[in-house]
Amino acid sequence: MTTPEFGKGFDTRAIHAGQEFDPTTGAVIPPVYLTSTYVQDGIGGLRNGYEYSRGGNPTRTALETQLASLEGGIRGLSFASGLAAEDALLRTVLVPGDHVVIGNDVYGGTHRLIRRIFGDWGIRHSTVDTSDLDAVRAAIELGTTKVLWVETPSNPLMKISDVAALAELGYEAGVLVVVDNTFASPALQQPLALGADVVIHSTTKYLGGHSDIVGGGLVFAAGQEELAERVTFTQFAAGAVSSPFDAFLTSRGIKTLGIRMQRHSQNALAIARRLEEHAGIEHVFYPGLESHPGHQLAARQMSGFGGMVSISLTGGAGAARRFAESTTLFQLAESLGGVESLVNYPSEMTHASVRGTEAEVPESVVRLSVGIEDVDDLLADIDEALARL
């Protein structure tokens, strides 16, 4: 659905876009439309365009309006998962023989989808460091490369890529530039305003924010109306839609996204600085640190540095595993972006599927999703875990 022109600040749009009160009762929170179908006013007489909930549902429409408004796009789509959103976009854009350029540090599921599912369909891909513009330029095959896939910050090594420069490369080569904005969220980064064509989200993460839903989203830039229509048809025809209740929970989470991201960022920076001082830590990957090679770029294209911190331990795989299994407040689990802090060992968890590829994650790396708990408690948990190494 096209976003209304609120002309308001981010937090105002997060709370109000698509969230008009119920005109029948005046309820401040729009009802959740738990329905599969809709009564028609005669054959083909659809009420507000609703026919069957695979094709459209008012609760999902409300979320899609929110997503489009927050990312500054012309249309948002809500999916059953982030990978469902990726699949629908790629299936719409690609045909056998096409080529994709993807970063060498991306979510393992994205790499698996492109390498194994689309690879079996005849799609080729090149894996490069998207923070290296020359490497990206060299990897693009004129006429064959159809998609440049960018994560910034990347997962899990927190590489920062120049969205505006990559968008310019894509425009010159006729390549669709897709930015996975999951780690930053629209509260901290606006890829469409920097020239990207499509933004993708795992709404499971920061947008939902409470680890209680699985979902995905796409937002299309102005000028991509035709593509948005085509992907909408793919979603309708293949059926990868979010449920009304998941859409409602995501919308509810989005309303506090701005203030949550501020706290995530504050806590993460404090933890990154503490970790940087510890002899058992070989390297801290966090763009908020002045030592990060992408710090200056991140400061230009982001309004905050986010809640994700990765570390490489000097003791290698053994130390990394012991650390990941020693924290208390940081719970050992997949996923990220919830209000609670999580610790993850990518090599055997989220990125196990990319072992042996160019996107393989070092075994010494641990990823932290820093929550919004009291920072002193989180620091104490980190200190105690490090003391057990």
Side-chain angles (χ1 to χ4, degrees):
M1 179 175 179
T2 301
T3 179
E5 294 297 328
F6 277 85
K8 305 293 185 182
F10 181 87
D11 289 332
T12 301
R13 287 180 284 121
I15 293 169
H16 292 286
Q19 305 298 303
E20 293 81 6
F21 68 85
D22 175 35
T24 301
T25 65
V28 171
I29 304 301
V32 182
Y33 288 85
L34 298 173
T35 185
S36 60
T37 193
Y38 307 84
V39 172
Q40 300 183 19
D41 296 323
I43 297 173
L46 308 184
R47 299 189 182 193
N48 296 316
Y50 293 108
E51 177 183 19
Y52 184 65
S53 275
R54 174 164 42 79
N57 176 282
T59 309
R60 194 164 78 243
T61 299
L63 170 58
E64 291 171 343
T65 301
Q66 259 182 322
L67 292 173
S69 178
L70 295 189
E71 288 286 7
I74 53 95
R75 178 174 296 185
L77 293 176
S78 175
F79 289 82
S81 70
L83 282 170
E86 295 182 14
D87 176 65
L89 176 65
L90 292 171
R91 272 196 289 158
T92 301
V93 171
L94 301 173
V95 297
D98 285 344
H99 178 251
V100 176
V101 175
I102 186 171
N104 64 354
D105 184 51
V106 296
Y107 168 51
T110 300
H111 194 277
R112 179 181 56 213
L113 176 67
I114 291 173
R115 185 180 86 254
R116 298 187 59 181
I117 303 301
F118 283 91
D120 288 348
W121 191 45
I123 303 300
R124 296 177 302 107
H125 74 278
S126 295
T127 305
V128 302
D129 183 351
T130 55
S131 67
D132 183 341
L133 294 177
D134 290 334
V136 174
R137 187 180 292 107
I140 291 175
E141 303 173 0
L142 293 179
T144 307
T145 302
K146 298 299 173 63
V147 174
L148 170 56
W149 193 280
V150 182
E151 277 189 19
T152 182
S154 66
N155 182 4
L157 300 181
M158 307 300 291
K159 294 181 180 180
I160 303 298
S161 297
D162 190 331
V163 176
L166 291 170
E168 186 175 346
L169 279 182
Y171 178 77
E172 292 172 355
V175 174
L176 190 77
V177 177
V178 180
V179 177
D180 186 333
N181 202 28
T182 297
F183 267 26
S185 89
L188 303 182
Q189 182 171 260
Q190 304 278 321
L192 300 185
L194 296 170
D197 298 307
V198 184
V199 163
I200 191 160
H201 281 281
S202 170
T203 57
T204 309
K205 312 304 194 296
Y206 286 110
L207 292 174
H210 294 79
S211 301
D212 53 9
I213 61 100
V214 173
L218 293 174
V219 182
F220 300 86
Q224 296 297 332
E225 289 82 359
E226 181 184 1
L227 176 60
E229 290 291 342
R230 291 168 59 205
V231 178
T232 299
F233 173 77
T234 299
Q235 182 187 40
F236 166 73
V241 298
S242 57
S243 74
F245 196 66
D246 283 348
F248 162 73
L249 289 176
T250 306
S251 282
R252 185 175 68 169
I254 284 173
K255 293 178 181 181
T256 59
L257 177 63
I259 57 173
R260 283 190 287 108
M261 293 309 295
Q262 291 176 22
R263 183 64 172 267
H264 283 298
S265 298
Q266 292 167 2
N267 284 358
L269 180 59
I271 286 170
R273 285 177 172 161
R274 176 71 61 88
L275 289 165
E276 198 173 35
E277 298 171 351
H278 196 278
I281 305 300
E282 181 180 48
H283 193 78
V284 180
F285 305 90
Y286 185 67
L289 295 175
E290 290 78 3
S291 59
H292 190 288
H295 174 71
Q296 294 300 325
L297 174 59
R300 289 199 305 271
Q301 71 182 20
M302 301 174 69
S303 60
F305 300 107
M308 301 302 300
V309 179
S310 292
I311 55 175
S312 176
L313 286 90
T314 55
R321 292 175 66 98
R322 286 194 300 276
F323 176 83
E325 294 175 344
S326 295
T327 55
T328 302
L329 281 178
F330 282 87
Q331 301 173 91
L332 181 64
E334 303 242 357
S335 199
L336 59 101
V339 293
E340 67 290 313
S341 294
L342 300 177
V343 59
N344 168 52
Y345 184 55
S347 179
E348 294 189 24
M349 295 172 69
T350 52
H351 289 69
S353 64
V354 298
R355 283 190 198 146
T357 74
E358 305 95 324
E360 183 173 7
V361 178
E363 294 181 345
S364 62
V365 169
V366 171
R367 191 189 73 186
L368 302 173
S369 175
V370 180
I372 64 172
E373 301 96 336
D374 290 300
V375 70
D376 288 342
D377 294 327
L378 295 178
L379 289 168
D381 191 33
I382 292 288
D383 290 342
E384 290 168 9
L386 289 171
R388 298 186 186 105
L389 295 180

